[in-house]
Amino acid sequence: MSDKKVTTAEAQQSAESYVQCLTEAGLSGKYHYDPATDYWILIGDGEISYDSPDFRYMDLDPSTAAGKKLSEKIQATYSKKKGSCDAVFNPISTYLESHADWDSLAKNQYEATVDCIIGRVPSLNNAIDDSWPHDSDGLSKLSELISSHEKDLSSEDQTALTNCQTYYTTAPETFGVASKPLDQLTEQERKELIAKGQLSEQSQ
């Protein structure tokens, strides 16, 4: 920011550094960054990394007092760690946001989403109307289209099309170490997690 501007190359380098910061902070998740569709990097499905000492399964009923307390603690820890990286990169993201060509981004987002959708489920191409606006209104129509066909889609296709709408690709990049689903943990892994206080005994 020494020259008060950010080039496309600098933005790309900054995005990569931001992901590295999140990883080193002990976080994991999905992300997407393409200057054609994003003014700044998009982080999604974020959580505390499985190999972090701060990791803890959200394994208690969130409607109970203990579950609510655990949920708040996990969210606070995640927000604090992510916030430490956000604070460093905020000047860059703020600059990129204020200089973004929003009409161009919206058009590119729409077209990337369409390409992603029909690349995964070609039959939906016939249901996409060429007259739909290539902007946020068009994106809303694509979302409605997918919802109306949801019952005809496999769970894998549903996940892929959700990614299309969120990240403009069926396979977003990932960072950090994601946790296993609870039902895929081995008995030994459960015992080790309980011993470290990262899983409650009542989740067995």
Side-chain angles (χ1 to χ4, degrees), residues 188-199 201:
Q188 183 58 35
E189 287 173 329
R190 286 179 175 274
K191 290 179 179 179
E192 291 173 356
L193 286 164
I194 290 171
K196 291 189 291 186
Q198 295 179 322
L199 181 69
E201 293 192 43

Side-chain angles (χ1 to χ4, degrees), residues 36 100-111 134-136:
D101 181 344
W102 294 103
D103 289 339
S104 179
L105 286 176
K107 178 176 181 292
N108 291 342
Q109 288 170 359
Y110 176 85
E111 292 176 350
H134 293 196
D135 56 19
S136 57

Side-chain angles (χ1 to χ4, degrees), residues 153-178:
L153 301 171
S154 67
S155 59
E156 291 80 8
D157 282 342
Q158 289 180 35
T159 297
L161 295 189
T162 295
N163 285 337
C164 285
Q165 295 177 87
T166 305
Y167 306 103
Y168 319 117
T169 174
T170 57
E173 299 289 335
T174 61
F175 65 94
V177 183

Side-chain angles (χ1 to χ4, degrees), residues 141-153:
K141 290 183 178 297
L142 292 175
S143 179
E144 292 169 4
L145 171 66
I146 291 172
S147 295
S148 68
H149 286 76
E150 194 170 40
K151 65 180 183 302
D152 303 318
L153 301 171

Side-chain angles (χ1 to χ4, degrees), residues 90-106:
N90 274 344
I92 297 171
S93 62
T94 298
Y95 174 93
L96 293 171
E97 181 177 19
S98 65
H99 290 77
D101 181 344
W102 294 103
D103 289 339
S104 179
L105 286 176

